[in-house]
Amino acid sequence: AYAFDAYGTLFDVHSAIARHRPALGPEAEAFSALWRAKQLEYSWTRTLMGRYADFWTLTQEALDFALARYPAIPRDLRQPLLEAYAQLSAFADVAPTLKRLAAAERRLCIFTNGTKAMAKSAAVSAGIVPAFETIVSVDEIRKFKTDPAAYALLHQALGLALGEVALVSSNRWDIAGAAAFGMPASHN
């Protein structure tokens, strides 16, 4: 089976900004990078502290941080940016890759720090829902990746033993977490 990380692997986290680039102005890329960096930082910090908040909450908190850091960006873009984040675009290579794996009769799932609702919304908007058997969200255990419990949850949800699920992720920290757990993993 192949477990695909959602954000940054299947879905372009910067596509939310792309939809509003003219209104964001010349700081759009830096703003987007800060939003993503804070989102991840908050997930790691909360896991280390044992003070979980779901990924949608962290996404909003990270956006608020970025808006405070970039005062030239209009605050009235907050809601449209959040709505765009709920409907992220898939990367161009996602659909052909999923089609090839389905033809090879591989089991596929989305494995995400996001809530199931977040991942499903993005997958629906990207038109890739039918490719996946399920969505496995760390929200169930209230600990984000790279906590070993997240990777254990994935195996439990799929009913597969260690070594039978490979992680595909664009996030090196996620690959490191999976490898430390004993999973085969590849950086796409």
Side-chain angles (χ1 to χ4, degrees):
Y2 291 93
F4 284 83
D5 169 66
Y7 299 103
T9 304
L10 294 173
F11 309 119
D12 180 358
V13 296
H14 302 291
S15 67
I17 295 297
R19 293 178 190 157
H20 298 281
R21 181 169 273 106
L24 290 162
E27 298 178 318
E29 283 75 23
F31 177 84
S32 187
L34 180 62
W35 184 11
R36 176 63 172 164
K38 285 297 173 183
Q39 185 188 49
L40 294 173
E41 179 185 320
Y42 292 169
S43 71
W44 300 325
T45 303
R46 285 189 171 269
T47 295
L48 289 169
M49 293 186 313
R51 296 188 181 245
Y52 182 82
D54 70 40
F55 204 63
W56 184 243
T57 300
L58 301 186
T59 298
Q60 293 175 72
E61 290 174 355
L63 177 57
D64 290 340
F65 182 93
L67 285 167
R69 183 64 64 91
Y70 288 91
I73 293 178
R75 297 270 315 155
D76 64 354
L77 285 176
R78 183 183 190 276
Q79 192 57 39
L81 287 170
L82 288 172
E83 289 168 8
Y85 202 91
Q87 298 180 356
L88 295 173
S89 302
F91 288 105
D93 62 345
V94 169
T97 299
L98 296 176
K99 188 175 181 178
R100 280 193 307 278
L101 290 170
E105 298 183 6
R106 301 295 183 207
R107 291 178 67 188
L108 307 177
C109 77
I110 296 174
F111 178 42
T112 183
N113 271 341
T115 65
K116 281 188 179 183
M118 286 177 73
K120 185 173 183 182
S121 177
V124 166
S125 70
I128 60 172
V129 170
F132 296 102
E133 173 182 325
T134 192
I135 297 170
V136 178
S137 168
V138 301
D139 195 44
E140 192 173 317
I141 58 167
R142 302 176 59 83
K143 293 179 181 180
F144 293 104
K145 301 183 237 176
T146 63
D147 191 291
Y151 304 100
L153 171 69
L154 173 63
H155 287 79
Q156 177 186 5
L158 295 177
L160 294 173
L162 190 60
E164 294 180 324
V165 183
L167 176 68
V168 179
S169 180
S170 64
N171 301 298
R172 294 206 181 271
W173 53 266
D174 198 8
I175 296 296
F181 186 72
M183 286 180 68
S186 71
H187 185 270
N188 70 338

